[in-house]
Amino acid sequence: MRVLVTGAAGFIGSHAVEAFTAAGHEVVGLDVLLPTVHPDQEAARARIPDGIELIRADVRNIAAVRRALAGIDVVCHQAAMVGLGLDLNDAPDYAGCNDLGTAVLLAAMASESVGRLVLASSMVVYGEGRYECAEHGLVAPGPRTESALRQGRFEPPCPRCGLPLAPGLVDEDARLDPRNVYAATKAAQEYLATSWARAAGGTVAMLRYHNVYGPRMPRDTPYAGVAAIFRSALAAGRAPRVFEDGGQRRDFVHVRDVAAANLAAAVWTADAEVSAGTGRALNVGSGTVRTVGELARGLSAALGGPEPVVTGEFRLGDVRHVTADSTRLREELGWRPRVEFTEGLAEFAAVTVS
Ligand code: UD1
């Protein structure tokens, strides 16, 4: 198949390009190569394997996107502004890149009759994960308050009785509950894509990524993921600073496994048994729950650096625990994660931080 990968020079996009190419598919890349994201433009271009066309354009440029769609069977839409989305000054950029960008892409796909899409979504659309109260069963705790966090009460209590909750795995049928600007733009992308699928008779797989790590992860910026922040600290000889009490639960999934999920999803969009108009959400996680403290200790050990420091600091938009149930991806698309956590961390630690 001929695949258009948006955000092709980015962290996940560049691995997706490799996965499609390795499987014998023809790839066209689209990337605006933002200098803030790619300060080293040469290095960003060098991520695209020889022989692959890279169109330098913003995904909001409908004329460029239409041209890029010529002869394309499926679009793998990775171009996005990522991070936590706490600073409201960033809201126009998040909404512009992620939602207006997706709307433009979908309009272009409709006019060029391209009917298959893989969309990079995120676990953040769920807000807090799945919790069970011994007394009240499944409950949806509200956002944690600043005063609770200040007092070191990091666990969200049962909204009905205030007792501690047991965190569990979120599946795709959970209610969407985005709790920051970035999360809201990811949820909106999903709604836009499912509306497109219904109206245009298209098919979309919405991949809700868990915490992706691995080679080419964006470096230490306010928008970087915690693994990159910890690695940068260790590379500079500093201890990783673990927020809250380090007990936050996440699922760290390797970027090559995420790229393989994109390939499987792109193939699935052509499945004859999938009816036109389908929008299917699929969690993408390794299936193994870790804590942020474990990640910090694992990276310190892999790099032979100082022990992590648990600071008790917090970020208001952070969720406490969110861990995915990726059974659907395994069962319906036959995907399996291949990169084991300790091996993935060792490889990640070994990559020179430039
Ligand atoms: C991350 C991604 C988000 C993605 C989501 C999917 C980033 C910035 N965020 O959000 O795009 O959609 O996973 O689940 O990549 N922490 C520390 N010390 C630090 C920084 C963070 O302890 O210096 C803690 C945070 O308090 C948080 C945890 O690490 O509890 C994870 O933070 P982060 O990497 O920003 O990821 P998510 O918020 O899970």
Side-chain angles (χ1 to χ4, degrees), residues 2-301:
R2 186 171 155 92
V3 190
L4 176 68
V5 178
T6 71
F11 170 41
I12 300 173
S14 63
H15 284 277
V17 170
E18 286 177 7
F20 284 114
T21 314
H25 301 293
E26 197 186 334
V27 174
V28 175
L30 182 93
D31 204 302
V32 72
L33 294 172
L34 277 181
T36 44
V37 182
H38 301 288
D40 184 345
Q41 298 266 305
E42 288 290 301
R45 281 182 179 278
R47 286 177 172 184
I48 308 293
D50 284 344
I52 292 195
E53 185 188 357
L54 178 68
I55 299 166
R56 183 172 184 172
D58 194 305
V59 78
R60 288 165 286 185
N61 176 343
I62 194 157
V65 174
R66 278 202 185 116
R67 282 196 298 275
L69 285 170
I72 292 293
D73 299 302
V74 54
V75 177
C76 176
H77 183 34
Q78 308 294 319
M81 181 165 164
V82 298
L84 191 56
L86 277 188
D87 185 345
L88 283 178
N89 290 316
D90 292 337
D93 282 341
Y94 274 107
C97 292
N98 299 357
D99 296 336
L100 179 57
T102 300
V104 169
L105 172 68
L106 295 172
M109 288 175 70
S111 71
E112 301 307 305
S113 304
V114 177
R116 294 162 54 196
L117 174 65
V118 179
L119 175 73
S121 184
S122 167
M123 292 294 295
V124 290
V125 297
Y126 297 121
E128 279 291 348
R130 184 187 156 103
Y131 292 88
E132 208 157 339
C133 171
E135 182 72 22
H136 298 105
L138 275 186
V139 289
R144 298 178 296 168
T145 64
E146 188 164 354
S147 72
L149 292 166
R150 278 198 192 291
Q151 292 164 33
R153 288 189 284 118
F154 300 122
E155 294 291 341
C158 173
R160 293 181 62 190
C161 64
L163 286 176
L165 299 169
L169 301 181
V170 193
D171 68 26
E172 291 86 351
D173 296 327
R175 187 174 61 97
L176 299 199
D177 184 15
R179 294 194 176 180
N180 57 52
V181 169
Y182 169 68
T185 66
K186 282 281 141 188
Q189 280 186 297
E190 290 199 7
Y191 292 131
L192 287 167
T194 47
S195 303
W196 160 84
R198 273 197 305 277
T203 305
V204 55
M206 301 174 292
L207 299 181
R208 294 180 177 158
Y209 300 156
H210 228 299
N211 295 58
V212 188
Y213 76 100
R216 303 179 212 145
M217 190 171 182
R219 283 181 305 137
D220 190 5
T221 74
Y223 308 100
V226 67
I229 294 174
F230 287 169
R231 186 182 59 175
S232 296
L234 286 161
R238 288 182 276 111
R241 294 177 66 78
V242 178
F243 297 162
E244 305 186 16
D245 58 2
Q248 307 92 299
R249 292 153 64 101
R250 295 289 190 276
D251 180 329
F252 296 97
V253 60
H254 195 274
V255 67
R256 283 196 298 275
D257 286 332
V258 173
N262 274 277
L263 173 60
V267 171
W268 171 87
T269 58
D271 191 323
E273 295 192 357
V274 178
S275 54
T278 300
R280 192 88 174 130
L282 300 128
N283 292 339
V284 184
S286 72
T288 309
V289 173
R290 309 273 172 188
T291 65
V292 172
E294 266 180 84
L295 172 77
R297 287 192 295 277
L299 273 174
S300 292

